[in-house]
Amino acid sequence: MGTEVAVVGAGFSGLAAALALARAGVRTRVLEARDRVGGRVLTRWLADGTQLDLGAQWVGPTQDRVNGLLARYGIATFPSAAHGASPVIFPDGRHAGAPEAAARVLDLLDAYAERVDPVAPWAGAEAAEWDRTTLAGWLRTAAPDPATARYLGRLLAGGLLAAGPDEISVLQLAFYLRSGGGSRALLAMAGGAQQDRIVGGPPVLAEALAAALGPDAVRLSTPVRAIAQDRTGVVVHTDTDRVEADAVVVAVPPTLAGRIRYDPPLPPLRDALTQRMPMGSAIKVHAVYPEPFWRADGRSGVAFCLAGPVTETVDNSIPASPRGVLTAFSYGPEANALRRMPPQARQASLLDALAAVVGPAARRPEEFVEYDWSADEWTRGCFCGAPTLGSWCGYGPELRQPVGRVHWAGTETATRWAGYLDGAIEAGERAAAEILARTGG
Amino acid sequence: MGTEVAVVGAGFSGLAAALALARAGVRTRVLEARDRVGGRVLTRWLADGTQLDLGAQWVGPTQDRVNGLLARYGIATFPSAAHGASPVIFPDGRHAGAPEAAARVLDLLDAYAERVDPVAPWAGAEAAEWDRTTLAGWLRTAAPDPATARYLGRLLAGGLLAAGPDEISVLQLAFYLRSGGGSRALLAMAGGAQQDRIVGGPPVLAEALAAALGPDAVRLSTPVRAIAQDRTGVVVHTDTDRVEADAVVVAVPPTLAGRIRYDPPLPPLRDALTQRMPMGSAIKVHAVYPEPFWRADGRSGVAFCLAGPVTETVDNSIPASPRGVLTAFSYGPEANALRRMPPQARQASLLDALAAVVGPAARRPEEFVEYDWSADEWTRGCFCGAPTLGSWCGYGPELRQPVGRVHWAGTETATRWAGYLDGAIEAGERAAAEILARTGG
């Protein structure tokens, strides 16, 4: 009969795990709660064919795993739109460059990142100190002035982790910077993590991975409720069925992994970790116009806002459509404030923020599409989960440590490009390798 | 037919909710995952009748609700043992008094507590600042020296919240102090929250509450897996059954409430709260000796340790038994370190800590009983859940806000003696009152 492995979750991590196992001759069954594959990616099409990427949307240099899969399956990319000035917008409405001192503070953080082992962030000499320090608290002394501190807090805790700077430890940020190759690689569009988009949207790649697994490898609309294991194997329980296997890869965020029942129950420290990696909080909205009118004004549509509900905007127009798409991101406390508003007021607040970037014409979009991943039962936040203050040191060793026959994947468990599609793939392949090493496969 | 309410969890909060509803003529069905009532209380009996309270064990003055129920059901209490000196034990082994400056810092924290509205801790003028400040960070400037900071960190984050001082916000601590009536009320044995114990153990009271509900009101060994609601009512799903009701009280800690499935799914901010209230981390061990030998040396057995795996010890002997019971508590990082040790080494480390308190005879107990609530699938930590840094302000309004027909109880939702048996009862009665107000019951 040979080895059989069940995979929980058909996001990029679960699909990559299944593919790596299948290539080694292991039979896999992928169980996916949603009626689609791909996890935290979703592309919606307007009637005229305009592509709106509602979830993860970018790939960039050094993301070798995702770029390799795109090449293998013949999926094209196109460069993110960037046609003019990309200002920082100050609370008084002024458009200007980033605070001058910011680069020096980023250099310091990149130096911290170099001192983090991405495989064991808890093990470094400075780990305990950095793990107990919030980014906001650190910036109060490391940044030379409050404006620079505010800028960097929104840029790093918000833009990278979809959280407030009071919620993120310096260690988590340093790990994240290390994992992605430094602040420039993470923050840049051209030359960085926001360089390219995927023709047809990221779901096209997920579908290609699923297709490569074969016609019946992924069962959709099949939430996993419980995982039992003993010395002979595992049994994965869904609402209607049970899947027997030799091992299981749980390829969902830690907080959602904690909502699965385990028999025997998870060890205390592993369960405690799942209580301490909340998902980020982001709202992503697309405003669609007849054309990208801002380009005629020499504006890129790319901006970073130091105040207000929106932290970042990008020109998300696609070459194949004449329409202009402006996408806004709101993070952490600002996203939560938006969630507490009635829909009309929320939309007005978001359009006001866009108007501050590209002018009053932004207030009259033809389409306005919001997507809140925190409302999505099978994601419950984005971009990813992050350890709370002190939790890297307290519970980090549990992040990838298998529990018997249960192995952990998901982009949160990656060591390279954690939080990204590329990290999801790395994590899945690593979990598969763990199982192959154990079974001699 | 009249109103019917389902209650999830037969801890003190769920039982109190059910009793309040039953008294108002509402039919209730209490569904309990465990094979016993009481939640975070558990009493084990040695062969000779010595009572070991493995979970919550104390009641004290101003805890009017729990004291009222004890009186109503005729359950006696007895004073905690305290027969001599209660030293602070310094890292060098020296026994002495608490650092002199500690009282002044406690006074300051009590003043903070006075400025917290326990109904809305997020609403105060200083809430945002206190919510983003760790207790450890605050103590670095508020305490006059590192020894005082270390003492207060262990005393307050550890002793009150079973966490490390880096994990707890000043706002959470100030709320907790306010909720219990100030640091003296919370920390004292005689005159405070550790004044009295319950003859027969706290489960006796839980069993009395369950009996008052009637013979079939509580269904044991019945975990609730899902709660569906629509405009006509709720359906509570167990592994084998469905219970229809007009409303439901979820009387389990927020992190465990997040592991129930909801249809429709919980709103984003409520779900996010359940991701941000991890349970504390405590290990409680009982070492049992032929007699409380430390009393002959003028030692109380009560001590506070500034270093090592154990933070606090108490003489937990009972009047009805000649044996001596020494109970040790380990919290947060120290408890986690113990969990990573093999059982033999863990026991040796704990007995060494007891020997530092009462002398080398502590190393030879007749019985040694550990209980780790983090390993308990239906509690997953103790004493209670606490909001992570920034989460009181970010998500606090969701703590008690009903979601349609779903109401929230559990001691974490209390405003008076939150985290204690008394708070559990308050929370249950408050949830019952919400339902009665809505149904006109």
Side-chain angles (χ1 to χ4, degrees):
Chain A
M1 288 291 292
T3 304
E4 180 155 357
V5 174
V7 177
V8 180
F12 281 81
S13 205
L15 293 170
L19 266 177
L21 290 163
R23 286 215 184 85
V26 175
R27 292 171 56 206
T28 63
R29 302 283 295 278
V30 184
L31 304 166
E32 168 55 47
R34 295 180 167 102
D35 61 1
R36 61 173 183 80
V37 299
R40 285 167 256 181
V41 303
L42 184 63
T43 292
R44 191 172 292 174
W45 299 87
L46 301 182
D48 70 346
T50 300
Q51 167 186 338
L52 301 182
D53 293 338
L54 305 185
Q57 68 170 73
W58 281 299
V59 295
T62 80
Q63 295 181 352
D64 299 334
R65 288 182 175 82
V66 68
N67 284 316
L69 291 176
L70 287 166
R72 177 186 300 169
Y73 295 104
I75 300 168
T77 63
F78 61 98
S80 298
H83 297 266
S86 300
V88 171
I89 302 181
F90 284 75
D92 59 4
R94 182 169 49 96
H95 289 216
E100 277 187 24
R104 289 194 298 278
V105 183
L106 284 173
D107 287 343
L108 181 55
L109 285 167
D110 281 323
Y112 282 21
E114 282 298 310
R115 306 209 290 270
V116 173
D117 176 358
V119 177
W122 55 87
E126 293 135 317
E129 173 65 24
W130 293 347
D131 203 26
R132 64 175 165 243
T133 305
T134 65
L135 175 61
W138 183 85
L139 286 170
R140 273 196 286 276
T141 52
D145 58 84
T148 303
R150 182 172 178 77
Y151 168 77
L152 289 168
R154 275 172 87 103
L155 183 75
L156 299 170
L160 295 181
L161 290 158
D166 300 316
E167 299 174 272
I168 296 298
S169 70
V170 171
L171 182 59
Q172 166 63 7
L173 178 63
F175 159 76
Y176 211 75
L177 292 176
R178 172 60 184 262
S179 159
S183 65
R184 272 64 175 179
L186 282 154
L187 295 169
M189 301 202 67
Q194 288 69 235
Q195 177 174 289
D196 296 312
R197 297 180 60 197
I198 296 171
V199 175
V204 170
L205 179 57
E207 288 152 15
L209 299 176
L213 282 170
D216 299 317
V218 181
R219 284 171 53 184
L220 299 175
S221 304
T222 306
V224 165
R225 303 302 187 184
I227 297 172
Q229 63 172 318
D230 61 19
R231 285 188 305 170
T232 65
V234 300
V235 181
V236 178
H237 296 267
T238 71
D239 285 333
T240 56
D241 203 3
R242 38 181 283 145
V243 174
E244 298 187 8
D246 298 288
V248 59
V249 175
V250 175
V252 302
T255 193
L256 299 184
R259 296 176 177 187
I260 297 170
R261 307 196 301 275
Y262 299 84
D263 178 19
L266 291 180
L269 293 171
R270 169 68 206 189
D271 190 278
L273 175 74
T274 74
Q275 300 181 37
R276 287 164 173 84
M277 285 190 70
M279 302 299 285
S281 166
I283 292 176
K284 184 177 185 181
V285 297
H286 294 75
V288 184
Y289 306 92
E291 56 185 19
F293 60 86
W294 49 88
R295 295 181 190 172
D297 304 325
R299 290 172 168 156
S300 70
V302 178
F304 185 88
C305 309
L306 267 177
V310 167
T311 291
E312 298 176 299
T313 66
V314 294
D315 181 340
N316 240 353
S317 312
I318 62 167
S321 163
R323 298 173 95 182
V325 180
L326 207 56
T327 297
F329 296 87
S330 181
Y331 303 126
E334 293 83 19
N336 291 341
L338 289 173
R339 291 189 184 100
R340 295 185 198 281
M341 297 168 75
Q344 293 277 70
R346 181 168 64 237
Q347 180 168 343
S349 171
L350 287 161
L351 291 176
D352 281 348
L354 292 182
V357 175
V358 296
R363 288 205 181 82
R364 297 180 302 279
E366 292 181 325
E367 314 252 8
F368 186 80
V369 178
E370 291 183 76
Y371 199 83
D372 183 356
W373 288 92
S374 294
D376 184 319
E377 183 178 13
W378 302 116
T379 292
R380 279 304 185 189
C382 72
F383 316 121
C384 63
T388 57
L389 262 279
S391 293
W392 260 126
C393 289
Y395 306 91
E398 276 63 44
L399 183 59
R400 281 181 297 275
Q401 180 65 44
V403 176
R405 295 168 178 272
V406 181
H407 297 253
W408 310 106
T411 192
E412 287 82 2
T413 71
T415 61
R416 182 94 178 100
W417 287 110
Y420 290 75
L421 298 180
D422 199 68
I425 296 163
E426 181 220 89
E429 293 178 347
R430 186 259 315 144
E434 287 169 2
I435 293 172
L436 294 173
R438 189 160 82 173
T439 60
Chain B
M1 287 294 291
T3 304
E4 180 154 358
V5 174
V7 177
V8 181
F12 281 82
S13 205
L15 292 169
L19 266 177
L21 290 162
R23 288 217 182 84
V26 175
R27 292 170 56 205
T28 63
R29 304 284 293 278
V30 184
L31 304 166
E32 168 56 47
R34 295 179 166 103
D35 61 1
R36 61 173 183 80
V37 299
R40 286 167 254 182
V41 302
L42 183 63
T43 293
R44 190 171 294 173
W45 299 88
L46 301 181
D48 69 346
T50 301
Q51 169 186 338
L52 300 183
D53 293 338
L54 304 185
Q57 68 169 71
W58 282 298
V59 296
T62 80
Q63 296 181 351
D64 299 334
R65 287 182 176 82
V66 67
N67 284 316
L69 290 177
L70 288 166
R72 177 188 300 170
Y73 295 104
I75 299 167
T77 63
F78 62 97
S80 299
H83 297 267
S86 299
V88 170
I89 303 180
F90 285 75
D92 60 4
R94 182 169 49 95
H95 289 215
E100 277 188 22
R104 290 195 298 279
V105 183
L106 284 172
D107 287 344
L108 181 55
L109 284 168
D110 281 324
Y112 281 21
E114 282 298 310
R115 309 210 288 271
V116 173
D117 176 0
V119 177
W122 54 87
E126 294 136 316
E129 173 64 25
W130 293 348
D131 204 25
R132 64 173 165 246
T133 305
T134 65
L135 175 60
W138 183 85
L139 286 169
R140 272 196 287 276
T141 52
D145 58 83
T148 303
R150 181 171 179 80
Y151 168 77
L152 289 168
R154 276 172 86 103
L155 183 75
L156 300 169
L160 296 181
L161 290 158
D166 299 317
E167 299 174 273
I168 296 297
S169 71
V170 171
L171 182 58
Q172 166 63 7
L173 178 64
F175 159 75
Y176 211 75
L177 292 176
R178 172 59 184 262
S179 159
S183 65
R184 273 65 174 175
L186 282 155
L187 295 169
M189 300 203 66
Q194 288 70 235
Q195 177 174 290
D196 296 312
R197 298 180 59 198
I198 297 171
V199 175
V204 170
L205 179 57
E207 287 152 16
L209 299 176
L213 282 170
D216 299 317
V218 181
R219 284 171 53 185
L220 300 174
S221 304
T222 306
V224 165
R225 304 300 188 184
I227 297 172
Q229 62 172 320
D230 61 21
R231 285 188 307 171
T232 66
V234 298
V235 181
V236 178
H237 295 266
T238 71
D239 284 333
T240 56
D241 202 3
R242 37 181 285 147
V243 174
E244 299 189 8
D246 298 288
V248 59
V249 175
V250 175
V252 301
T255 194
L256 298 185
R259 296 177 177 187
I260 296 171
R261 306 196 302 274
Y262 299 85
D263 178 19
L266 291 180
L269 293 171
R270 169 67 206 189
D271 190 277
L273 175 74
T274 73
Q275 299 181 38
R276 287 164 173 84
M277 285 190 70
M279 302 298 286
S281 167
I283 291 176
K284 184 177 185 179
V285 297
H286 293 76
V288 184
Y289 306 91
E291 57 185 17
F293 60 87
W294 47 88
R295 295 180 188 170
D297 303 325
R299 291 174 168 153
S300 69
V302 177
F304 184 88
C305 309
L306 268 177
V310 166
T311 292
E312 297 175 301
T313 66
V314 295
D315 181 338
N316 239 353
S317 313
I318 62 167
S321 163
R323 297 174 95 182
V325 180
L326 207 55
T327 297
F329 297 87
S330 181
Y331 303 127
E334 292 84 18
N336 292 342
L338 288 173
R339 290 189 184 100
R340 296 185 197 280
M341 297 168 74
Q344 291 280 70
R346 181 168 64 239
Q347 179 169 344
S349 171
L350 288 161
L351 291 177
D352 281 347
L354 292 182
V357 174
V358 296
R363 289 205 180 83
R364 298 181 301 277
E366 293 180 323
E367 314 251 7
F368 186 80
V369 177
E370 290 184 77
Y371 199 83
D372 182 357
W373 287 92
S374 293
D376 184 320
E377 183 177 12
W378 304 116
T379 293
R380 279 303 185 190
C382 72
F383 316 120
C384 63
T388 57
L389 263 278
S391 294
W392 258 127
C393 288
Y395 305 90
E398 276 62 43
L399 183 60
R400 282 181 297 275
Q401 181 64 43
V403 175
R405 296 168 178 272
V406 181
H407 297 253
W408 311 106
T411 192
E412 287 83 0
T413 71
T415 61
R416 183 95 178 100
W417 287 110
Y420 290 75
L421 297 180
D422 198 68
I425 296 163
E426 181 220 89
E429 293 178 346
R430 186 259 315 142
E434 287 169 3
I435 293 172
L436 294 173
R438 187 161 83 173
T439 61

